[in-house]
């Protein structure tokens, strides 16, 4: 684990400009998403809240297994697209666009929940979602930064999914976190701590 952290921080140090660019762009998109949720009723790119796995679960429209499957699938698709579009340098802007859309959509969902149900009614859920979003955004930023090192290599996909690869480890951590998030949500709902729906 220490080796993973050293490798990640070393990559961030070497690609500091790229990492800072992604961070600043993320902040701009977060502000745009909040503005969109407030002023345009769902944003420039509309998000259907009824299709969000954790919202469906809280409304009792789906099972716990659907929550886990939906949570894993939604994040796995974005990670897979980011990895795919980093295989060639000229495709990197598309990877960044997919990442930024993920950030935008998650923040619109987050802001919409607060606007629809109120801040204090959703306080516990907001805290959980804030932790979830910080972890997801950070992992995706680290994946994007690390992929820049192996972009255009002839064994790109082999490098990504090598057992010693940071990318594979981050991908697995992302999936594990999605499961942990689903379990925490289920526990809170079981003990009637989440009462917004």
């Amino acid at each position: 684990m220490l080796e993973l952290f050293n490798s990640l921080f070393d990559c961030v140090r070497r690609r500091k400009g790229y990492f800072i660019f992604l961070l600043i762009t993320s902040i701009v998109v977060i502000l745009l998403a909040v503005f969109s949720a407030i002023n345009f009723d769902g944003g420039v790119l509309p998000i259907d809240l009824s299709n969000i796995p954790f919202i469906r679960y809280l409304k009792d429209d789906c099972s716990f297994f659907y929550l886990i499957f939906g949570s894993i699938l939604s994040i796995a698709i974005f990670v897979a697209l980011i990895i795919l579009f980093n295989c060639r340098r000229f495709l990197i802007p598309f990877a960044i666009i997919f990442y930024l859309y993920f950030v935008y959509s998650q923040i619109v969902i987050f802001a919409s929940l607060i606007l629809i149900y109120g801040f204090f009614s959703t306080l516990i859920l907001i805290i959980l979602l804030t932790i979830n979003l910080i972890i997801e955004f950070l992992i995706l930023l680290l994946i994007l930064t690390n992929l820049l090192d192996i972009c255009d290599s002839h064994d790109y996909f082999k490098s990504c999914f090598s057992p010693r690869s940071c990318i594979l480890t981050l991908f697995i951590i992302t999936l594990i976190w999605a499961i942990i998030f689903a379990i925490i949500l289920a526990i809170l709902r079981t003990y009637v701590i989440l009462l917004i729906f």
Side-chain angles (χ1 to χ4, degrees):
M1 186 60 74
L2 184 61
E3 185 180 337
L4 171 67
F5 282 114
N6 288 337
S7 177
L8 289 174
F9 286 120
D10 181 54
C11 182
V12 170
R13 276 193 299 269
R14 283 184 289 105
R15 302 289 186 178
K16 190 189 297 183
Y18 184 62
F19 186 81
I20 291 171
F21 164 74
L22 290 173
L23 201 57
I24 292 171
T25 311
S26 300
I27 293 168
V28 171
V29 168
I30 287 169
L31 294 175
L32 175 64
V34 172
F35 180 78
S36 297
I38 293 170
N39 292 289
F40 299 115
D41 190 29
V44 177
L45 301 173
I47 305 295
D48 184 2
L49 294 182
S50 65
N51 292 329
I52 311 302
F54 77 86
I55 292 177
R56 290 193 63 189
Y57 178 73
L58 291 175
K59 287 183 173 180
D60 206 20
D61 288 343
C62 68
S63 67
F64 174 68
F65 294 105
Y66 178 86
L67 170 65
I68 290 181
F69 177 75
S71 300
I72 289 174
L73 184 63
S74 61
I75 189 68
I77 288 171
F78 279 98
V79 174
L81 288 170
I82 287 169
I83 290 173
L84 177 64
F85 282 99
N86 267 282
C87 65
R88 292 290 178 264
R89 198 165 293 274
F90 69 91
L91 292 174
I92 289 177
F94 293 101
I96 294 173
I97 287 169
F98 280 115
Y99 161 72
L100 293 177
Y101 177 71
F102 178 78
V103 172
Y104 176 88
S105 62
Q106 296 303 306
I107 297 300
V108 168
I109 292 166
F110 182 82
S112 297
L113 281 173
I114 296 172
L115 292 170
I116 294 168
Y117 297 102
F119 178 80
F120 293 106
S121 300
T122 58
L123 184 58
I124 294 172
L125 183 59
I126 287 168
I127 293 169
L128 180 59
L129 286 176
T130 301
I131 295 168
N132 181 51
L133 293 177
I134 289 171
I135 290 172
E136 287 182 345
F137 294 167
L138 181 59
I139 290 174
L140 291 178
L141 279 173
L142 290 172
I143 289 174
L144 277 164
T145 306
N146 276 269
L147 285 171
L148 202 59
D149 277 347
I150 59 173
C151 179
D152 284 334
S153 63
H154 66 281
D155 56 350
Y156 172 80
F157 290 106
K158 185 179 178 181
S159 299
C160 286
F161 297 103
S162 164
R164 296 173 57 84
S165 167
C166 291
I167 308 303
L168 180 62
T169 307
L170 287 169
F171 190 26
I172 292 169
I173 289 171
T174 306
L175 300 182
I176 290 171
W177 171 248
I179 295 170
I180 292 171
F181 171 74
I183 291 170
I184 293 171
L185 199 67
I187 291 170
L188 292 176
R189 181 174 175 266
T190 300
Y191 288 97
V192 204
I193 295 173
L194 299 176
L195 296 172
I196 64 169
F197 298 111

